[in-house]
Amino acid sequence: QVHVAESGGGLVQPGGSLRLYCVASGSIFKINDMGWYRQAPGKQRELVATITSSSTTNYANSVKGRFTTSRDNAKNTVYLQMNSLKPEDTAVYYCNAEIWTTAWELNNYWGQGTQVTVSQ
């Protein structure tokens, strides 16, 4: 069984910073891509950033230059450093991971989400 959990959300003023964490645990053989998505009220879930196992990254245009994702493969952990936050960044942020639980079984896992609120 695999568990993916995010942490680090909270309330921050515009222009501030937050760092999100996501840890995968359980029966893990190998982790492929990991990523961050977000969903604001009344909107669809959207991609924020992804990172491959070799740390190649991809970002949504709306966060380029402000957000940085990184990972520690030894700790099965991915991070999202968010700087220069804007009110429109307010959303529930979800972690996603493509995980091999055995050499022949690959599944996609989601965390439960962490709330990020950017407001005065």
Side-chain angles (χ1 to χ4, degrees):
Q1 191 171 2
V2 172
H3 185 60
V4 174
E6 309 93 340
S7 61
L11 173 64
V12 64
Q13 291 186 345
S17 297
L18 278 177
R19 186 173 174 88
L20 303 184
Y21 306 78
C22 172
V23 179
S25 60
S27 181
I28 296 172
F29 178 72
K30 179 184 176 183
I31 302 178
N32 284 354
D33 292 1
M34 302 184 81
W36 292 95
Y37 294 73
R38 66 186 182 187
Q39 187 167 18
K43 294 187 177 181
Q44 291 189 331
R45 190 174 296 189
E46 62 177 5
L47 170 73
V48 175
T50 61
I51 183 167
T52 68
S53 57
S54 57
S55 294
T56 298
T57 57
N58 179 55
Y59 297 95
N61 287 334
S62 59
V63 307
K64 280 182 181 177
R66 300 187 298 121
F67 290 11
T68 301
T69 189
S70 58
R71 64 190 282 174
D72 184 334
N73 291 331
K75 297 181 179 179
N76 293 336
T77 299
V78 62
Y79 308 94
L80 184 67
Q81 178 66 42
M82 305 185 294
N83 298 328
S84 302
L85 282 161
K86 305 175 181 180
E88 51 263 44
D89 295 317
T90 295
V92 178
Y93 284 69
Y94 295 92
C95 177
N96 176 267
E98 296 179 345
I99 299 175
W100 293 93
T101 51
T102 66
W104 54 87
E105 188 171 3
L106 176 66
N107 289 298
N108 195 269
Y109 295 89
W110 290 91
Q112 79 289 349
T114 186
Q115 177 69 46
V116 172
T117 302
V118 185
S119 178
Q120 291 285 1

